[in-house]
Amino acid sequence: MKLVFAGTPEVAVPALDALLASGRHEVAAVVTRPDAPAGRGRRLVASPVAERAEEAGIEVLKPVRPRDPEFLERLKEIGPDCCPVVAYGALLPRTALDIPARGWVNLHFSLLPAWRGAAPVQHAIMAGDEITGAATFLIEEGLDSGPVYGTVTEEIRPTDTSGDLLTRLALAGAGLLAATMDGIEDGTLKAVPQPADGISLAPKVTVEDARVDWRTPALRVDRVVRGCTPAPGAWTTFRGERLKIVQARPVPEVTDLAPGQLSAGKNTVHVGTGSYAVELLWVQAQGKKPMRAADWARGVRIAPGETVGD
């Protein structure tokens, strides 16, 4: 098939690579978000998908909005059979959805209908799920509600951050998307409607969602820290300033600390929760680089009974 691939961040690159390596399909063009300011200088930088496509010598389309007439006209001229999508980042209007004969097929990082929305991996970890996966489905105008072509499953490991899990899902999902394109082309795959039961939503995780509530149990604190790493980053406050929690772990043997109460040893920093304590391993103070929590604690000289999260 002739394909136009839509995607933007680094997590979409493995799927593009898998399609480029396919001997069966032609990636005629790539659709991605416009260049965005990045770094201290706020220079405009192309998306990871745009950079990869340019390396491969593929036409790159960067519409401000997918409904822009110039973009729609160019898409019609290319005439794709199918448009595979991974984390493109913009809503597709009906005028765009109708152009490819076999539609737009999205790779989504959950086992639909669970965790429809922008942040399925973060929500799966924060909810304490043990199994997740990826699914390919035909895009409709509803939110991740279209019929499913295929899935792969992935175990959520006890120490997984959303970054760790998303990296594995991007690789497994790349193979799934390529296989889905093959199955659509040869007619062996039929999209199956999603069940009406088991729907859960995964909206974008906000900075406020990532604030640690020390009154909750240690397992909940651990899930929030892992689910919000690397973005938007779990955080609390210390002496009126924000303190980012880069890495932590539950320590069931420490049970004598009140929620938010700090205890610093020579090489350890513990914080009380609604159950037992968690150990802070890496933190990032406001305006500073990430550092070992024990080094941070020595620098700030934690007073007896001092707390975080006030």
Side-chain angles (χ1 to χ4, degrees), residues 115 119-129 201-205 209 227:
W115 305 125
V121 174
Q122 291 97 322
H123 281 277
I125 290 176
M126 289 193 290
D129 292 357
L201 300 180
K204 182 178 178 181
V205 177
D209 294 333

Side-chain angles (χ1 to χ4, degrees), residues 107-252:
L107 172 64
H108 182 76
F109 297 116
S110 80
L111 297 175
L112 293 169
W115 305 125
R116 294 176 178 174
V121 174
Q122 291 97 322
H123 281 277
I125 290 176
M126 289 193 290
D129 292 357
E130 295 180 353
I131 298 290
T132 187
T136 49
F137 71 94
L138 184 66
I139 294 180
E140 299 178 337
E141 289 185 275
L143 176 65
D144 299 334
S145 59
V148 172
Y149 282 106
T151 60
V152 290
T153 59
E154 182 72 33
E155 179 185 1
I156 300 179
R157 299 168 187 170
T159 59
D160 270 342
T161 65
S162 61
D164 297 332
L165 183 54
L166 193 52
T167 296
R168 297 203 307 276
L169 286 172
L171 292 172
L176 173 65
L177 185 61
T180 299
M181 293 297 106
D182 293 348
I184 290 173
E185 186 206 17
D186 62 26
T188 57
L189 265 186
K190 301 296 180 189
V192 177
Q194 294 182 34
D197 297 330
I199 296 170
S200 50
L201 300 180
K204 182 178 178 181
V205 177
T206 67
V207 171
E208 193 54 39
D209 294 333
R211 183 172 188 166
V212 174
D213 183 350
W214 299 105
R215 298 167 298 180
T216 60
L219 285 177
R220 172 63 184 167
V221 171
D222 176 58
R223 290 168 184 168
V224 170
V225 171
R226 291 188 294 111
C228 293
T229 300
W235 62 281
T236 188
T237 52
F238 177 73
R239 296 178 185 169
E241 292 192 339
R242 187 172 294 188
L243 180 70
K244 187 175 179 180
I245 302 166
V246 179
Q247 188 180 12
R249 69 180 185 94
V251 279

Side-chain angles (χ1 to χ4, degrees), residues 30-47:
V30 154
V31 184
T32 191
R33 300 293 289 149
D35 297 357
R40 288 188 176 180
R42 308 306 288 163
R43 290 172 50 200
L44 287 178
V45 175
S47 74

